[in-house]
Amino acid sequence: MSDRGTAMGEKKRTIMFGFHSPVDRRLMREWVVGVGHEVLENLDESSNVDLILMDSATARRLRDKAFGLKRAAKYFLPVLVCIKAGENASPWLKAGFDDVLHLPATKDEWLARMDIMLRLRRQSEELGQRSEYLHRALIESSGDHIFLLDANGTFVTSNDRVTHFGLESGAQLVGRTIEQVFPKEVATFYREQFQRVLTEGKTVVFEHDLPSERGTHYHLDTLYPIHLPDGTVAVGGICRDITERKQAAEALRESRERLNHLFTVSPAIVYELDPENLSPTWVSSNITEITGYTPEEAFQPGWWAEHVHPEDQEQTKKAEERFLLEGRDRGAHEYRFEKKDGTYIWVRDELRLLRDEQGRPKEIVGSWMNITDRKEVEIELAKSEQRYRSVFESTGTAMLIVNEDGTIAFANSQCSATTGYLPEELPGTNWRGYVFAEDLPMMESYFRLRFSDPEKAPKRYETRLMHADGSIRNTLLTVGTIPATRQVVVSMLDITDLVRAEEARRLLETAIDNTIECIMLSDRENRLTYVNRAFEKLTGYSAAEVLGKTLGILKSGRHDREFYQDLKSTIYSGRPWQGNMILKKKNGELYEVAASITPILSPSGHVDYFVSVHRDVTKEREMERRIQQNQRLEAIGTLAGGIAHDFNNILTPIVGYTEMCMYSLPRGSKIRENLEAVNRAAARASDLVQQILSFSRRSNQERKPIRIALIIKEALKLLRSTIPTSIEIRQDISATEESVIADPTEIHQVIMNLCINASHAMPDGGLMSVGLHAVDLDREAIKMIPGCKPGRHLKLSVEDTGHGIAPEILDKIFEPYFTTKKEGLGTGLGLATTHSIVTACGGGITVYSEPGKGSRFDLYFPVARGVATQVVEKTAVIRGGHERVLIVDDDMEVLDLHRKVLENYGYSVTAETDPEKALALFEKSPADFDMVLTDMTMPRMTGDLLAAALLKIRPDLPVIVLTGFSERINKDKAQELGIRALLAKPVSVSDLLSTIRDIFNAQ
């Protein structure tokens, strides 16, 4: 026994310790607990322990208490003592200790000695329990009525042989007295015999009759005293029905004369014996023919015993004693007898005891049959069976012999390990009782086929058997028919562990096969020996294509030789490697993995195999790049918002003062015309700000009917100055009058995106063609243009003679962040934005490309039914007023412009650059102002907060907010706050004055 714990099926045992040394006590506790046993350190008489272990000092002090526990134990309780090296063990063994262990001792020696003692205790328990079971089984299986009476004559226990009382079970007899069971006359006689046992303390044997509905029965009862542990005396009893014996004796007496003359021709010798001294009183005359002796010689004292074979004398003597002492009516035994010529014959000697009416032995009748021929056959068969049994036992495999009816005829000793049953428990039982219920139909069919058509019956198959401990064991059966018999021989091999190992292997393989990571196994030469399904799915290679090949088939060429040398030096030194790799799929597509490669070492420490685990991180890396791009766009958007605010503040005085000068000059004046040109330039600058905000997603697009031909021409003019002169731009714009529902800024962005992409596709120059034509699409045509509906459309085409688009990525070009350009040349949003704008307008896009020849993008926009929006310049009708206006703006130039404009047109103006001072001024005299004109973005207080504070003081106050750019406010938010108008900078003088006048007139 070593550090391996208790054996399977062995219950945990309790070890009681007594060690004077703390070190020994702690060490022994660790060892014993380590193998699964429980430890007690106090000798407690109430504890249920399996072994007592003490050192010599403790043994001298607690020996009597330990031996008291040993004597009180129901089964063998081993007591071990540990003594010092050199000390004599003999006194300890003589004192009653079961074993002595010299110190110091190794752990294995300790545990081995304890294991031996525990096995002896376990065997003692098993023998005791088996003895109790057999004792009870003998009582229940006896044909006699066995019972126990207390000192009052009341039945306290009984087996179930109680039908002579008219009862069904012994339990119905318990609690009744002698008088309640027997008829009065019999009860009186029975009570007398009962009292004799109690008073004399001796066994009493007597006969009595017992009347019943089926006639009178005769019983032979034996009563004997039993001294109980508590000092009281009970009476045990055995009641045997001798009715048949009585009837047989009578019949024998009547037929004796009639049969006497038959004995002379019988093959059996018939004789009679005196039951007192067993001397022969009569022997049939055929004894001479069979043995050579005359009947007279047989009457000689000691004649029979002298001629029994010496080897058989002991067992024949015991057989006679059992027949006489146990009071049996019948007996039989076989032995060898010496004939007069000196040879021996085998005889079967059968005895029958005849009794008189009172049940007393009257005579013994016997028959003596020569069975030499049969015995010789039996002996030969026994030898053959022994040889057969030796072969069975020496196979090392559990084996059974099964009869045609399914009963087990023989089981060798190896069956214990396979079934959990002792070999002697299996014969006579049916094999069906050991088969798992679900497998029984299959086993039944095979078993029937074994006898009906053996050739078709499988010779080897698996099944599940029920072990004695209740577990299910997977078993491999090998079955064959024994020639010239109706029996089969079955070899059983417990493969439970193999099945479990196979199931564990299958589960592991399934788990590996279904994991999302690629798992590969390769040998020292880097040849693949296993790949899972994730590998096949990710790389496009099947297992059959790659097994036996090296991982080099996945190389992408993105890593240098130094990278692979570092990797190899790591793993071939037995250390795991982790890192990212860019690999290539079967279709040529590159992908990135987070890889780990772990060496598998042989028992000698050499690297035999490598386990590689690849996790696809392509999308993660792409997402990281997109996040970075979004962050850059967010930064651009923030910058664009700041530029828009400041730029609009700059434009505001330019536009305002220009208009003021224009309005002071007559129409047709050369100076006015020049000022009008300045105003138009300022308007284009304002539109440019809106384009910047649109690019950064910081402006709200408003779609309306527009003529996109004009926008396309304007965009191409702008592009011409930015695209290299080596690229020729050709225009073919014919649909100039028809309009579409779109936002001008978005259309401008679409043209810019497509044309810039086209120029990037022609780094060495080429031809860019831009066309706009009206087309009618029917139901057949729209099948090739996703998103379009039948009807009239404007077709915008952008074509280049560049390097073209590879077919394998053509379906991905509209995905956000997808780009084939080098780092810094594109965000991957251009075509995605273009696609989004076109589909939002109700149109569609088609792409045609040939690598090396160029690409063409066709955009289809539904033609609008309404009239395109046109700006019609009207003569401004500027009206002034006399109302009082408070102007608030942190930009002094804007503030001064608006003050001058309003004063020039009759308004009374109060100007303030600080919103907080303006609020304080208003709080002092709210009635002194008819309107407030405020900027949106100001330090310490924004325009919307100022408006809210003013309206809280005076809810009817007209408030106008001007903004260069702000994400805090739009028209809806302004309306919710009660702001009358929201004007975008730069605002024209006429628009400002018209808005102010309209608000006053509406009051």
Side-chain angles (χ1 to χ4, degrees), residues 380-395 399-402 409-410 412 480-483 485 487-490:
E380 186 59 35
L381 286 174
K383 291 180 180 178
S384 176
E385 182 179 350
Q386 185 59 40
R387 291 194 297 269
Y388 206 23
R389 194 177 293 264
S390 298
V391 172
F392 266 47
E393 291 293 346
S394 62
T395 60
M399 300 190 74
L400 300 173
I401 294 178
V402 182
F410 171 75
N412 68 358
T481 304
I482 300 176
T485 70
Q487 291 179 318
V488 295
V489 59
V490 182

Side-chain angles (χ1 to χ4, degrees), residues 118-230:
L118 289 175
R119 273 186 282 164
L120 290 175
R121 175 167 175 81
R122 182 176 71 249
Q123 292 171 1
S124 171
E125 291 173 343
E126 292 173 353
L127 289 172
Q129 292 167 0
R130 190 180 305 164
S131 176
E132 292 172 1
Y133 170 81
L134 291 174
H135 182 263
R136 186 63 191 173
L138 286 172
I139 292 175
E140 290 299 331
S141 63
S142 174
D144 296 334
H145 177 210
I146 301 174
F147 54 89
L148 183 67
L149 294 162
D150 64 15
N152 297 321
T154 302
F155 288 87
V156 294
T157 185
S158 169
N159 66 2
D160 293 331
R161 302 296 186 268
V162 293
T163 55
H164 54 285
F165 294 129
L167 303 175
E168 295 179 358
S169 68
Q172 294 175 314
L173 183 61
V174 174
R176 300 188 186 190
T177 64
I178 294 173
E179 286 73 15
Q180 292 174 326
V181 172
F182 293 102
K184 185 176 181 181
E185 294 79 13
V186 178
T188 301
F189 175 72
Y190 212 102
R191 175 67 72 172
E192 292 174 357
Q193 307 308 313
F194 172 80
Q195 290 301 134
R196 283 180 57 196
V197 175
L198 291 178
T199 56
E200 299 174 7
K202 298 180 179 179
T203 300
V204 176
V205 180
F206 57 93
E207 289 185 11
H208 66 87
D209 58 359
L210 184 63
S212 68
E213 296 179 357
R214 294 174 294 176
T216 301
H217 282 252
Y218 298 92
H219 290 179
L220 175 66
D221 282 31
T222 301
L223 300 181
Y224 50 91
I226 299 176
H227 297 276
L228 301 177
D230 59 1

Side-chain angles (χ1 to χ4, degrees), residues 649 652-653 657 885-903 909-914 918 933-935 938 962 985 992:
N649 276 345
T652 296
Y657 285 119
V885 180
L886 173 61
I887 303 177
V888 187
D889 199 312
D890 63 314
D891 190 313
M892 195 64 198
E893 290 186 1
V894 175
L895 182 69
D896 189 52
L897 168 67
H898 290 159
R899 181 181 59 77
K900 289 178 179 179
V901 169
L902 266 62
E903 286 178 344
V909 178
T910 301
E912 184 60 67
T913 58
D914 188 338
L933 181 66
T934 178
D935 187 23
M938 298 180 291
L962 287 83
K985 294 179 181 180
L992 177 62

Side-chain angles (χ1 to χ4, degrees), residues 937-956:
T937 304
M938 298 180 291
R940 294 187 299 279
M941 183 179 289
T942 57
D944 58 337
L945 295 178
L946 175 62
L950 295 171
L951 291 172
K952 187 175 182 180
I953 299 171
R954 188 176 145 194
D956 63 337

Side-chain angles (χ1 to χ4, degrees), residues 606-822:
H606 297 292
V607 176
D608 280 348
Y609 291 92
F610 301 100
V611 175
S612 303
V613 180
H614 289 182
R615 181 170 63 87
D616 187 5
V617 296
T618 307
K619 292 184 178 179
E620 294 179 20
R621 297 293 177 266
E622 184 64 27
M623 185 60 67
E624 290 174 2
R625 287 191 285 270
R626 292 180 182 181
I627 290 173
Q628 293 172 357
Q629 290 171 339
N630 281 337
Q631 290 172 343
R632 289 197 295 268
L633 288 176
E634 183 67 24
I636 292 172
T638 301
L639 177 63
I643 292 173
H645 176 268
D646 294 343
F647 195 65
N648 281 331
N649 276 345
I650 294 171
L651 286 176
T652 296
I654 293 174
V655 172
Y657 285 119
T658 300
E659 286 189 354
M660 289 178 64
C661 293
M662 285 170 49
Y663 296 149
S664 65
L665 296 172
R667 286 186 178 275
S669 168
K670 187 65 177 177
I671 296 176
R672 179 166 179 154
E673 290 179 357
N674 292 339
L675 291 174
E676 287 175 350
V678 172
N679 202 32
R680 286 194 297 271
R684 285 197 297 272
S686 179
D687 289 342
L688 179 60
V689 171
Q690 292 302 315
Q691 289 183 25
I692 294 173
L693 293 176
S694 174
F695 172 76
S696 64
R697 302 296 192 270
R698 289 174 173 262
S699 66
N700 296 321
Q701 278 65 40
E702 181 180 353
R703 294 185 178 88
K704 55 190 175 181
I706 59 171
R707 293 176 181 173
I708 62 174
L710 299 176
I711 300 174
I712 294 171
K713 290 179 179 180
E714 182 179 350
L716 291 176
K717 287 180 183 178
L718 178 63
L719 283 165
R720 181 66 277 180
S721 62
T722 59
I723 292 177
T725 57
S726 60
I727 297 176
E728 178 185 353
I729 301 177
R730 290 183 185 175
Q731 300 183 35
D732 183 11
I733 302 174
S734 60
T736 58
E737 299 300 323
E738 297 189 78
S739 59
V740 299
I741 303 294
D743 177 83
T745 303
E746 289 184 341
I747 296 299
H748 191 276
Q749 184 176 355
V750 166
I751 295 297
M752 298 292 285
N753 288 342
L754 292 177
C755 292
I756 289 173
N757 283 352
S759 68
H760 288 167
M762 298 180 290
D764 299 326
L767 175 63
M768 181 193 302
S769 301
V770 180
L772 181 67
H773 304 280
V775 295
D776 291 311
L777 301 178
D778 56 19
R779 294 188 180 277
E780 288 297 322
I782 64 171
K783 291 180 180 179
M784 304 300 295
I785 310 171
C788 285
K789 297 179 180 180
R792 192 166 180 80
H793 289 69
L794 290 186
K795 174 183 175 184
L796 170 62
S797 300
V798 178
E799 186 174 358
D800 64 70
T801 57
H803 51 60
I805 304 171
E808 58 268 19
I809 65 170
L810 197 59
D811 60 344
K812 299 180 180 180
I813 60 175
F814 293 113
E815 295 179 3
Y817 303 103
F818 179 82
T819 180
T820 58
K821 298 177 183 177
K822 295 181 180 179

Side-chain angles (χ1 to χ4, degrees), residues 358-411:
Q358 284 73 37
R360 293 186 296 270
K362 185 174 64 173
E363 61 181 343
I364 298 175
V365 178
S367 65
W368 221 42
M369 178 73 72
N370 185 350
I371 60 169
T372 302
D373 293 341
R374 176 176 65 82
K375 203 66 178 179
E376 289 176 351
V377 172
E378 288 179 357
I379 291 172
E380 186 59 35
L381 286 174
K383 291 180 180 178
S384 176
E385 182 179 350
Q386 185 59 40
R387 291 194 297 269
Y388 206 23
R389 194 177 293 264
S390 298
V391 172
F392 266 47
E393 291 293 346
S394 62
T395 60
T397 304
M399 300 190 74
L400 300 173
I401 294 178
V402 182
N403 298 321
E404 187 176 7
D405 62 359
T407 57
I408 297 173
F410 171 75

